[in-house]
Amino acid sequence: MPFNSATGTFAEGLLAPRRSDATPWLTWYSQSGERIELSGKVFDNWVAKSANLLGECFDLEQESLIVLDLPSHWKSLVLGLAVLHHGATLLDADDDQAANATLWITQDPNDQCIPGSSEILAVNPAAMALSFGAGLGPVAEDYNANVRTYGDQFYPSAVSGETTALRNSAGNALSLAELFAPEVNALGTILVRADIPVLQLLPYAVAQWKAGDSIVLVEAQMEVSDRLRQGEKISHDYVPAV
């Protein structure tokens, strides 16, 4: 099914064509030895559950300001697309509008930089963590403990393509229409090192997923062996523009 954002459901247009696909969409490697492979179907399921959690717990709506204060990781990419399902705007923690964010998504829920007016969603990046664990604090919602309880399907409402999708620390602001518009050549299976901010990675990932590619995301400083490259059938390395 071709990508179509004319309905105003931009993330849906990206995810729907590979929703029943069992081939890899995103594979995560951590320095601790985790390997997490998410097919198109499984990735979409995580996005749907996350979008349902965000809507029911935090009443996200179009143009809500959301700080995504997580490193590049499979969970942060899931949550980024879940936020965009609602037409909300993703911000870096150091954005000048971060103080006005309605929600702060973080792995450090007790960070003193989080404004008192923001709600907090705490995320433990460990794949098998069934709760955030110690340090959740008295006000944060526990993503790990609760996300699996939400629905496997999300039915997005149409949002304006002029809505700002994200602003990142590189100074780039993209509307939803701009984020989902690029047409790029398919590259196959792409190796990406997770040493760049997630809001700089997200536009690249969206474009390559739209082209039909698979991404292998490896934690920063992890050694990438020839065996890994051969096993994952890596055909391209992503090198961010300076």
Side-chain angles (χ1 to χ4, degrees):
M1 182 170 66
F3 181 89
N4 181 3
S5 61
T7 61
T9 52
F10 292 87
E12 176 71 4
L14 173 70
L15 295 163
R18 291 171 66 185
R19 178 162 293 146
S20 60
D21 195 343
T23 60
W25 173 287
L26 176 64
T27 304
W28 163 256
Y29 279 89
S30 73
Q31 284 185 286
S32 64
E34 289 180 334
R35 180 188 181 276
I36 307 297
E37 181 181 294
L38 294 90
S39 66
K41 180 178 181 178
V42 172
F43 187 88
D44 173 71
N45 183 255
W46 274 96
V47 174
K49 285 180 175 293
S50 300
N52 283 315
L53 182 155
L54 292 170
E56 294 182 33
C57 289
F58 304 109
D59 297 321
L60 260 63
E61 57 187 22
Q62 188 168 319
E63 298 184 344
S64 295
L65 298 179
I66 312 300
V67 169
L68 186 59
D69 189 20
L70 294 172
S72 289
H73 185 275
W74 71 266
K75 290 181 182 177
S76 58
L77 290 168
V78 160
L79 280 159
L81 284 171
V83 167
L84 296 179
H85 255 323
H86 292 277
T89 300
L90 292 161
L91 304 176
D92 283 326
D94 58 359
D95 190 277
D96 58 8
Q97 289 297 309
N100 299 320
T102 59
L103 174 62
W104 204 282
I105 303 175
T106 179
Q107 59 185 357
D108 184 6
N110 299 302
D111 187 344
Q112 294 301 305
C113 293
I114 301 175
S117 58
S118 291
E119 295 187 274
I120 303 170
L121 180 63
V123 181
N124 184 335
M128 303 306 292
L130 297 180
S131 70
F132 182 80
L136 179 65
V139 298
E141 182 79 13
D142 188 334
Y143 175 79
N144 298 69
N146 295 320
V147 66
R148 289 175 176 84
T149 68
Y150 285 87
D152 292 339
Q153 294 179 313
F154 181 75
Y155 302 98
S157 299
V159 293
S160 170
E162 296 180 0
T163 300
T164 301
L166 63 84
R167 294 208 303 268
N168 62 36
S169 57
N172 299 318
L174 294 173
S175 70
L176 278 167
E178 290 169 332
L179 174 61
F180 287 93
E183 300 285 346
V184 300
N185 293 326
L187 299 172
T189 301
I190 305 169
L191 180 74
V192 178
R193 296 182 181 274
D195 56 358
I196 58 173
V198 64
L199 295 190
Q200 291 184 40
L201 172 58
L202 188 59
Y204 177 80
V206 165
Q208 298 305 148
W209 282 328
K210 182 179 166 183
D213 290 338
S214 174
I215 289 175
V216 176
L217 184 63
V218 297
E219 194 167 13
Q221 279 74 59
M222 177 183 161
E223 182 179 353
V224 178
S225 65
D226 290 341
R227 181 178 180 181
L228 185 153
R229 288 181 176 277
Q230 293 167 5
E232 299 294 348
K233 298 181 173 61
I234 301 298
S235 55
H236 182 78
D237 283 35
Y238 171 52
V239 180
V242 178

